[in-house]
Amino acid sequence: MSSIVRSGPGAALNKSASITETLSHKSVVEKQRAAIEKLRQQNAKLKEDLLLENKFSIRPSNPSATVLINKLQDEADLYTRKIQLERRKVLMLHQQMEQLQSKLGSTRTAMGGIFSAKEKSQALQKQIKILENRLEKQFIKYNEAITYNKQLREQIDNLRRERLMFEAINTNLDKELARIKRNIAGVLSVC
């Protein structure tokens, strides 16, 4: 056997390649050992579970106990199904609640916010107050107009009475004048 020692750049390249391959093989081997150890642990756990299962799974020799066990297992299955059904209902209700909360939020946003109803109510109350004040002012003006009309009617009635009185006086004066003219005419015709 002869060994040839090479020197130069090619020898360094071969040396680093062999080191890389060795490291790569070591990491693969370590991974495989870790996987084997993990499988051993799982195997030990399964054996332990099997022992516990066998330990607690004593078959009752009494038929009534077997019937009772079967009945209890059936009840357990029934309650398990009911629990699953209730969980589904709870999940569905949570989804509906989220949808309704989302809808409520969008509705509040569309209305103008959380306090929109209160603000609209206050604005409406303010508008009502303004209109009530206007109505009150118009009612005062109306009452003033009625009072003024009443005064004018009284004046008109007084003027009508005065006119009737003056017409009566005028008629009496006309009659008196006619009588005096007749008297004068009678005195002149006698003379």
Side-chain angles (χ1 to χ4, degrees):
M1 286 194 171
S2 69
S3 66
I4 303 172
V5 177
R6 293 185 190 175
S7 62
L13 200 57
N14 281 339
K15 203 176 203 183
S16 70
S18 70
I19 290 173
T20 305
E21 280 182 26
T22 305
L23 290 175
S24 155
H25 288 301
K26 282 184 181 179
S27 68
V28 169
V29 169
E30 286 176 8
K31 286 181 185 176
Q32 288 175 347
R33 283 184 183 159
I36 290 170
E37 184 60 33
K38 186 176 180 183
L39 288 173
R40 282 185 184 152
Q41 289 173 355
Q42 287 176 352
N43 191 14
K45 184 170 179 6
L46 287 174
K47 284 180 182 179
E48 185 179 315
D49 288 345
L50 184 61
L51 283 174
L52 285 174
E53 182 71 28
N54 287 336
K55 183 178 180 180
F56 290 114
S57 67
I58 299 171
R59 300 281 179 218
S61 58
N62 187 355
S64 63
T66 306
V67 170
L68 181 62
I69 289 173
N70 288 338
K71 181 181 173 187
L72 291 174
Q73 286 177 341
D74 290 342
E75 284 183 24
D77 291 341
L78 175 71
Y79 287 123
T80 303
R81 285 191 298 270
K82 285 185 178 182
I83 288 171
Q84 289 174 350
L85 180 66
E86 290 300 318
R87 283 183 182 159
R88 279 190 232 126
K89 284 182 183 178
V90 167
L91 180 65
M92 190 171 71
L93 289 173
H94 279 295
Q95 289 172 349
Q96 286 178 350
M97 186 175 72
E98 288 174 2
Q99 289 173 351
L100 291 175
Q101 285 177 341
S102 172
K103 188 176 180 181
L104 177 66
S106 63
T107 304
R108 281 183 177 166
T109 304
M111 287 176 51
I114 295 172
F115 301 109
S116 173
K118 184 178 180 182
E119 290 171 355
K120 286 181 181 179
S121 175
Q122 288 174 344
L124 184 62
Q125 289 297 323
K126 185 177 180 181
Q127 187 67 26
I128 288 171
K129 196 175 229 180
I130 290 170
L131 291 174
E132 284 176 346
N133 287 339
R134 285 184 189 170
L135 178 64
E136 186 69 27
K137 288 177 183 177
Q138 291 301 319
F139 189 66
I140 290 169
K141 285 182 182 180
Y142 173 74
N143 285 338
E144 288 173 354
I146 287 177
T147 305
Y148 183 68
N149 282 344
K150 191 175 183 182
Q151 290 172 352
L152 289 177
R153 282 193 180 130
E154 286 178 8
Q155 284 180 355
I156 290 171
D157 288 341
N158 288 337
L159 290 174
R160 283 181 183 161
R161 271 183 260 152
E162 285 180 16
R163 187 188 77 199
L164 290 174
M165 190 173 69
F166 286 130
E167 283 178 356
I169 292 172
N170 190 24
T171 306
N172 286 339
L173 288 176
D174 283 343
K175 285 180 185 178
E176 184 71 25
L177 180 65
R179 189 181 59 75
I180 292 175
K181 278 185 184 179
R182 274 189 306 229
N183 283 340
I184 292 178
V187 171
L188 285 176
S189 58
V190 173
C191 302

